[in-house]
Amino acid sequence: MTILVCGEALVDLVPDRQGGGPALTPKLGGGPFNVAVALGRLGADVQFLSRISRDPFGRDLVAWLEASKVGLDLLQRGPELTTLALTVLDAHGAAEYSFYADGTADRLVEAPATIPESVTAASFGTLSLLYEPGASVYAALLARVHDAGVLTMLDPNIRPAAMTDGDGYRARFRTWLPSIDILKVSVEDAGWLGEGPQGTTVRDWLDAGVTAVVVTRGGDGLSVVTTAGETVVPGVSVQVADTIGAGDTVHGAMLHHLTEHGVRSSADLLRLDSQAWTAALTFAAKAAAITVSRPGADPPWADEVGDD
């Protein structure tokens, strides 16, 4: 039982809040990269499908994946540079981003000829579905694995600063919906996706074929909406260092919990009752609380979170 995580790895340049000056500290990240790390640390059998540079940042990214028990059988390497994200933190530790991604390695990923038969779930999201030509590769792979019966989860992780055509992205997002079993969005993502003539809502997503919509609400907790109704759990109170990687940890922890409890398909998702969803959301909230308690995207290990 393998979880396949598809998408970019990059480096966040984060301000040194302790030094009081303009210094920037490189932190390894990227939404799918963080999801893979979270899954590996929680004990999942996870493979990361991406293209990573052979530059010094790329070598650090690969070392971090290996140290986090992430499988690299499907990883591609290239001479292109690593994508950089300049991160600005507000007074509450919330992050805003600017991206330097022209011609970088993760944009040039190629679809694998075959997907291992052991793959039962697949994760997608973030910049990998925005920047071409890789975006089309990942979108086609999403449809391909879903058609093969693999459980799919997607987090668009909207970054308006990286967008040049918001309505065009919203239109493409609608084409992905029939191939998504679990859609994970923040409150801000949901609001942005609902804007303009191409905007959609949670009801639209469910009508298009999504089975469950997980919504993150920062310190206010998490919820999931299905055709059967909504389940909500509160957030975990913690001293926040910053919020980098919080949503990615929710994504990874949720997928780990569900697959460990026998969820392999959209039909399995439909059978989950409020108690089962509460357990999954609570586990994800606990994991994310640990991540936000320390700087950068540093998801917890299984023994830090406890039983799921």
Side-chain angles (χ1 to χ4, degrees):
M1 183 180 68
T2 302
I3 299 175
L4 179 64
V5 178
C6 308
E8 82 279 357
L10 54 78
V11 168
D12 290 311
L13 300 177
V14 183
D16 182 358
R17 305 183 81 186
Q18 305 300 321
L24 297 172
T25 301
K27 298 287 186 180
L28 307 179
F33 176 89
N34 295 335
V35 171
V37 168
L39 282 162
R41 292 182 176 188
L42 292 172
D45 179 2
V46 55
Q47 289 286 335
F48 188 52
L49 172 57
S50 184
R51 181 179 175 91
I52 292 181
S53 174
R54 295 192 185 96
D55 68 12
F57 283 144
R59 293 195 292 271
D60 289 344
L61 288 163
V62 169
W64 192 251
L65 289 167
E66 291 176 330
S68 299
K69 312 301 182 185
V70 177
L72 305 179
D73 294 348
L74 298 175
L75 183 66
Q76 302 161 29
R77 305 297 300 277
E80 308 83 16
L81 297 177
T82 298
T83 299
L84 301 179
L86 177 60
T87 307
V88 177
L89 303 175
D90 66 18
H92 304 288
E96 296 182 1
Y97 301 90
S98 298
F99 297 97
Y100 300 85
D102 287 347
T104 50
D106 53 86
R107 299 179 68 164
L108 301 178
V109 67
E110 297 179 354
T114 60
I115 300 297
E117 293 183 1
S118 61
V119 172
T120 57
S123 162
F124 296 82
T126 318
L127 297 180
S128 61
L129 290 164
L130 174 62
Y131 289 135
E132 295 289 5
S136 293
V137 173
Y138 285 119
L141 185 60
L142 168 66
R144 174 180 160 192
V145 297
H146 185 267
D147 289 347
V150 172
L151 181 75
T152 58
M153 184 169 179
L154 184 145
D155 177 4
N157 206 356
I158 302 300
R159 298 294 183 230
M163 301 277 186
T164 57
D165 180 10
D167 284 340
Y169 180 90
R170 293 182 185 95
R172 284 192 291 126
F173 171 76
R174 294 178 67 171
T175 69
W176 306 332
L177 294 172
S179 298
I180 302 170
D181 294 313
I182 307 168
L183 178 63
K184 181 256 165 198
V185 293
S186 66
V187 170
E188 295 79 12
D189 292 339
W192 189 90
L193 288 166
E195 295 175 1
Q198 299 291 346
T200 51
T201 65
V202 172
R203 173 46 53 187
D204 295 324
W205 304 336
L206 295 175
D207 288 345
V210 175
T211 305
V213 179
V214 176
V215 182
T216 59
R217 307 175 184 278
D220 293 330
L222 306 170
S223 66
V224 62
V225 182
T226 68
T227 54
E230 182 177 23
T231 301
V232 181
V233 301
V236 177
S237 180
V238 66
Q239 183 68 39
V240 176
D242 62 51
T243 62
I244 300 172
D248 305 326
T249 302
V250 167
H251 187 145
M254 174 77 65
L255 198 50
H256 174 65
H257 178 96
L258 291 173
T259 56
E260 284 294 294
H261 288 78
V263 175
R264 305 283 188 274
S265 66
S266 57
D268 292 334
L269 287 174
L270 287 170
R271 286 192 285 269
L272 297 180
D273 58 17
S274 182
Q275 183 177 1
W277 277 117
T278 296
L281 293 169
T282 299
F283 180 74
K286 287 169 59 179
I290 295 171
T291 297
V292 302
S293 72
R294 46 205 193 196
D298 189 5
W301 294 84
D303 59 358
E304 295 180 278
V305 184
D307 295 336
D308 64 351

